[in-house]
Amino acid sequence: QASSVPAVVVVATIVAMTSAPSVGSASAVFLHLATLREDVENTEARARALWDGAAFVGELEPEVELNVGGDPGFVLTRDQFESLPGTLLEALVSGRWESLVLRDAEGRIFIDVDPVQFRAILDWIFATKQCASVHDMPPSPAEWIAEPHRWGLDQLISLLGLEGREELSPSKCQVRVDMDDGKAYTLKELLAKYMDTGIYTAEEVRDYWFQDMHPTNQEDLTSEETEHEQVPSLAKCTPDMQLASLLEEHVKSVVAEGRDLQERLRKAEEDEQQFHFEKEGLQLLFGGSSEQDIVRFNANGRVMATTRATLTHFESSMLARWFGGDWSLQESELVRGAVRIKQDSECFTSVLQILRVHRLFGPSAIPSGFPCRRERMKALQQALSYYHMELAKGKGKGKSALGQRVAQRTGSTNVGTGRHEWEVAVAVAL
């Protein structure tokens, strides 16, 4: 990747030209700019081609119905996450990826995650929008939700692109410049300024803060000052003031063009990265591409759903054999199209969550906490054994590497009873 031309280097080059005329130095500068310009144009063209190829042509319904892990009780609006651009939630409901979405038999978008975790995330986002002060903003649900739903929630928040988002957990000391008067305000000060007028709501002021005002943290100011380093005066380098003035203007023009090209390159690269983030992230959330990829279960009367990609993730497990294409389900094994599971729903929900976490986040993800209530640990261990998951190998990773990670985490390979034993049992399943 080409780098910008430091002002002092360009000045020194042109000064050298005045004392020992040479077209070589000037050519090097313009060749650098030409190469950078070509790189920018190619990157911008690639980014446009990616987004144009994914563009959906057609009419979109104003609401989006979701089926989250078998729970169809989610209806979102297209503009619900406009304040969170760049996240998978905003991409999910935006309509940009209609050609990619996985739909169930009723046409709802299916995502293969824990519905309790997903609803907690939605409530968290809604609650932050209603806050009149940064100090009133609620903590992440990963900090308060009860087990077993806490297990893997941090990773899901990160996958959705919500981790570290200022809109959900802004820095309380950050200030932004209000374009109305050019002054810097904290969010609390801005809320006081505009809400006292009785014209704006807290949500409108917050949207203005996040979408239209620019942050002015001290680090940003320092960086900005460095970026816009003044070009040293050529008048000190040559006695010909008129020539110095002309050269100085030329240097400024060259440096400005270099900075503009660098900024365009940065934005084009970000567009490319965002395209791949959204596409690959949504494909992970969906877990399939057709209705046949969705599998519904009825565990003691409780209906839940996942995808074949999740069920077959542990290649040697019983679930992988059942749903990997080698097993034909009998009519007696179905309840209104859902596979009958002769097991309590709580344990089977935990089995599905273990499978999801490993498929979504990879074998290195060992969430803190437990994937079930502690008093149900023994029952879950039995369920893992029944499905042959205690010896299962996830696709691409074996049991030995997982054992090493657990040993590193616990600090010992001699694992006894209690919590450590449970962590090993779950990690081996992963």
Side-chain angles (χ1 to χ4, degrees):
Q1 177 180 320
S3 59
S4 58
V5 184
V8 290
V9 174
V10 179
V11 171
T13 301
I14 298 181
V15 170
M17 291 166 58
T18 64
S19 57
S22 168
V23 296
S25 298
S27 297
V29 171
F30 290 111
L31 177 61
H32 175 87
L33 285 178
T35 303
L36 180 57
R37 191 179 301 110
E38 183 180 5
D39 193 12
V40 169
E41 291 170 354
N42 289 338
T43 306
E44 288 177 336
R46 284 199 310 270
R48 279 195 304 271
L50 288 173
W51 286 108
D52 290 346
F56 175 74
V57 179
E59 293 187 10
L60 295 171
E61 295 292 331
E63 292 84 26
V64 182
E65 294 185 62
L66 300 182
N67 178 340
V68 182
D71 183 347
F74 295 85
V75 181
L76 307 176
T77 59
R78 296 279 178 191
D79 61 353
Q80 193 157 343
F81 301 110
E82 284 183 349
S83 61
L84 291 170
T87 65
L88 289 188
L89 288 176
E90 188 269 337
L92 179 68
V93 301
S94 67
R96 291 193 296 273
W97 298 99
E98 287 299 302
S99 59
L100 188 70
V101 298
L102 172 63
R103 295 187 181 275
D104 65 14
E106 285 72 36
R108 292 179 289 249
I109 295 178
F110 182 87
I111 58 174
D112 192 13
V113 300
D114 179 357
V116 177
Q117 290 184 344
F118 191 75
R119 194 173 296 282
I121 289 172
L122 295 184
D123 288 342
W124 173 42
I125 293 171
F126 177 80
T128 59
K129 287 185 176 182
Q130 309 308 307
C131 292
S133 166
V134 174
H135 299 277
D136 297 332
M137 295 181 77
S140 160
E143 298 180 31
W144 55 262
I145 198 169
E147 288 177 331
H149 301 294
R150 184 184 307 147
W151 198 76
L153 183 52
D154 273 328
Q155 285 86 351
L156 180 59
I157 288 172
S158 178
L159 175 65
L160 293 173
L162 301 173
E163 184 179 25
R165 290 290 299 216
E166 187 196 346
E167 298 91 334
L168 301 173
S169 54
S171 168
K172 296 178 182 178
C173 62
Q174 187 187 69
V175 294
R176 292 179 176 238
V177 175
D178 185 358
M179 295 179 293
D180 179 57
D181 57 15
K183 296 180 180 178
Y185 295 88
T186 64
L187 178 56
K188 185 175 182 180
E189 292 168 342
L190 192 75
L191 285 163
K193 172 185 174 181
Y194 284 109
M195 289 185 66
D196 285 347
T197 65
I199 300 174
Y200 304 100
T201 66
E203 186 172 352
E204 288 172 332
V205 176
R206 282 174 53 80
D207 285 345
Y208 175 57
W209 165 275
F210 289 118
Q211 297 177 32
D212 299 313
M213 294 176 64
H214 300 291
T216 57
N217 279 340
Q218 191 60 43
E219 291 180 2
D220 296 333
L221 291 173
T222 303
S223 173
E224 192 172 319
E225 288 170 3
T226 303
E227 256 182 39
H228 294 86
E229 173 190 359
Q230 293 297 314
V231 176
S233 176
L234 290 175
K236 298 178 181 178
C237 305
T238 173
D240 190 333
M241 299 298 293
Q242 185 176 4
L243 176 60
S245 178
L246 291 172
L247 288 173
E248 198 164 312
E249 287 302 314
H250 184 66
V251 169
K252 288 179 180 178
S253 174
V254 169
V255 171
E257 183 180 3
R259 285 177 178 152
D260 179 64
L261 288 171
Q262 282 288 349
E263 180 63 15
R264 285 173 56 190
L265 181 61
R266 182 189 65 80
K267 289 181 178 178
E269 289 174 338
E270 285 182 355
D271 282 347
E272 277 191 295
Q273 292 168 1
Q274 183 64 27
F275 175 89
H276 294 296
F277 166 73
E278 290 187 11
K279 182 178 181 179
E280 294 166 13
L282 289 176
Q283 285 175 327
L284 272 176
L285 289 180
F286 298 146
S289 57
S290 70
E291 180 190 331
Q292 287 68 39
D293 292 327
I294 302 171
V295 180
R296 296 170 60 242
F297 292 95
N298 185 317
N300 275 343
R302 180 179 174 184
V303 176
M304 56 194 80
T306 187
T307 60
R308 291 183 185 275
T310 295
L311 294 169
T312 60
H313 190 69
F314 294 166
E315 295 175 325
S316 61
S317 71
M318 186 181 296
L319 290 170
R321 292 198 300 274
W322 284 356
F323 300 99
D326 299 330
W327 190 280
S328 297
L329 291 169
Q330 305 300 313
E331 191 65 31
S332 59
E333 297 177 290
L334 301 175
V335 180
R336 294 190 177 182
V339 180
R340 187 196 303 270
I341 295 295
K342 296 179 180 179
Q343 198 169 54
D344 72 272
S345 62
E346 185 176 355
C347 274
F348 192 68
T349 297
S350 296
V351 170
L352 293 187
Q353 183 64 355
I354 288 172
L355 288 164
R356 284 176 180 140
V357 164
H358 191 261
R359 183 183 70 79
L360 288 171
F361 312 122
S364 62
I366 302 181
S368 59
F370 301 84
C372 76
R373 290 185 295 123
R374 302 188 186 208
E375 54 268 31
R376 300 292 296 162
M377 285 178 8
K378 189 173 183 64
L380 180 54
Q381 287 175 323
Q382 292 172 346
L384 294 174
S385 178
Y386 174 76
Y387 292 116
H388 297 180
M389 288 171 59
E390 80 280 18
L391 299 176
K393 293 183 179 180
K395 294 180 181 177
K397 293 292 181 181
K399 177 181 174 182
S400 59
L402 290 163
Q404 293 171 4
R405 281 199 302 277
V406 174
Q408 292 170 353
R409 183 177 177 191
T410 60
S412 171
T413 55
N414 300 318
V415 182
T417 59
R419 182 180 179 86
H420 286 178
E421 179 181 0
W422 171 240
E423 287 186 345
V424 170
V426 173
V428 169
L430 293 176

